[in-house]
Amino acid sequence: MAKAKTPADLAITPRDRRFGRDAGQSRWWFDGDPVATAFHNALSITFPKGEAFFIESVKAFRDGTPPRLEAEIRAFTQQEVMHSREHVAFNKRVTEAGYDLDPLERVVDEMLAIVRQRPPIVNLAATMALEHYTAILASLILKDARYFGGTDPEQAAMWRWHAIEELEHKGVAYDTWLHATQGWSRWKRWKLKSLMMLLVTLNFWRKRIQGTLELLRQDGITGWRAKWGVTWYLLGRPGLLRRIAPAWAAYFLPGFHPWNHDDRALIGKAESEYRMAPA
């Protein structure tokens, strides 16, 4: 079995927090920016059912795992369940702000119907790739103090909380994969994980961009204006896609492991800011 590189002193800590229950949420809650709002809304819609799929994919291979990994899978599951709960509440507020989320929900349902027909090991590989995406996006969110700008503090806090826990458990699906494929050759393991990352990348960005454009359409922003706005947001400023490209490419390198880059300092910094924030 390939050796996991998760830090020996890593603690995965479920933080049971609730956000925005008694607060209103403006239509363009992300600093008044319709494109940033639409992108994050489109992303949030995937989380409740998507994270249930992640849990299902990882738990399918928990039998026989070492005690430490078994405990990490339990903590991962607890964190993902709470993420789903908070995004259900967040998505409800998006609906209350006047958006019709049904077209985006149908896309999620259609994708899950397809993937559930695949072998469990393929779904674990897809989960591993998506967990890498969430981790590198989480790192970007926590690293860039300007990311949320003038965004409503309650909504920004929810996304940062989610980012903290995504970073913290970023190696769980990968270590489960190493356990599940311990009898495979390095070439076979690399081939499947790389193929799934390429497929995940194609589908992830295509579907999220389509979802973003649909929500912008509901705001009356269409045509070249909408397409240019999304392109600039992803490649220009803040340039999410451009900025995560190096970390995405690292996934294909021999010897890759999510914890090759130990960014726990970002978690500590974010949590210290929570503690210093006024109640």
Side-chain angles (χ1 to χ4, degrees):
M1 175 180 175
K3 187 178 179 181
K5 299 177 183 178
T6 298
D9 59 343
L10 173 69
I12 300 176
T13 307
R15 300 159 182 81
D16 190 359
R17 299 194 61 196
R18 286 170 169 77
F19 302 88
R21 295 301 197 274
D22 301 315
Q25 183 167 306
S26 63
R27 189 171 175 90
W28 293 349
W29 61 268
F30 198 111
D31 201 14
D33 183 340
V35 177
T37 298
F39 175 78
H40 286 82
N41 286 349
L43 189 59
S44 179
I45 290 159
T46 70
F47 283 133
K49 292 176 182 177
E51 292 188 320
F53 169 72
F54 296 167
I55 292 169
E56 178 185 313
S57 299
V58 169
K59 288 175 72 174
F61 294 94
R62 66 181 170 178
D63 290 348
T65 54
R68 181 185 170 200
L69 179 55
E70 185 179 13
E72 289 176 346
I73 291 172
R74 282 198 300 272
F76 162 85
T77 299
Q78 291 170 340
Q79 287 184 333
E80 296 287 51
V81 166
M82 287 186 282
H83 297 171
S84 295
R85 181 195 69 203
E86 291 312 297
H87 280 279
V88 166
F90 178 89
N91 295 343
K92 182 174 182 290
R93 295 193 296 275
V94 172
T95 301
E96 290 169 349
Y99 289 104
D100 176 12
L101 303 184
D102 286 347
L104 283 73
E105 291 275 11
R106 282 197 297 271
V107 170
V108 174
D109 289 340
E110 289 166 4
M111 288 299 297
L112 288 174
I114 293 170
V115 301
R116 286 204 165 95
Q117 298 175 26
R118 302 184 310 203
I121 195 65
V122 174
N123 287 338
L124 179 59
T127 293
M128 184 172 64
L130 286 162
E131 281 288 300
H132 184 56
Y133 260 117
T134 57
I136 59 182
L137 286 168
S139 181
L140 174 62
I141 286 172
L142 296 178
K143 195 180 300 180
D144 186 353
R146 301 169 301 172
Y147 187 88
F148 285 105
T151 299
D152 175 77
E154 186 74 2
Q155 314 313 328
M158 190 275 286
W159 286 89
R160 289 194 181 102
W161 162 81
H162 191 164
I164 287 170
E165 297 198 342
E166 288 298 332
L167 269 191
E168 201 169 68
H169 70 228
K170 68 178 181 176
V172 174
Y174 204 92
D175 287 343
T176 304
W177 159 262
L178 293 177
H179 168 77
T181 61
Q182 57 188 306
W184 291 19
S185 68
R186 292 180 65 183
W187 163 245
K188 182 178 179 181
R189 185 185 290 127
W190 181 87
K191 184 169 61 172
L192 179 56
K193 80 159 195 173
S194 299
L195 175 61
M196 288 311 299
M197 175 55 92
L198 292 173
L199 290 173
V200 160
T201 297
L202 176 64
N203 284 314
F204 177 86
W205 289 107
R206 183 164 57 91
K207 299 297 185 183
R208 297 302 75 74
I209 290 170
Q210 288 173 352
T212 302
L213 291 172
E214 166 58 24
L215 294 177
L216 287 173
R217 184 195 65 77
Q218 295 182 28
D219 281 323
I221 303 171
T222 59
W224 68 267
R225 183 183 170 204
K227 291 176 181 177
W228 171 248
V230 175
T231 300
W232 181 249
Y233 186 77
L234 294 177
L235 298 177
R237 181 177 295 182
L240 298 188
L241 192 53
R242 168 178 54 80
R243 292 167 69 187
I244 67 171
W248 173 84
Y251 191 84
F252 299 92
L253 296 175
F256 168 81
H257 188 278
W259 283 109
N260 285 351
H261 178 55
D262 190 342
D263 41 13
R264 284 178 292 171
L266 294 173
I267 298 174
K269 181 175 182 296
E271 292 205 300
S272 68
E273 289 171 354
Y274 276 140
R275 287 191 292 270
M276 290 186 295

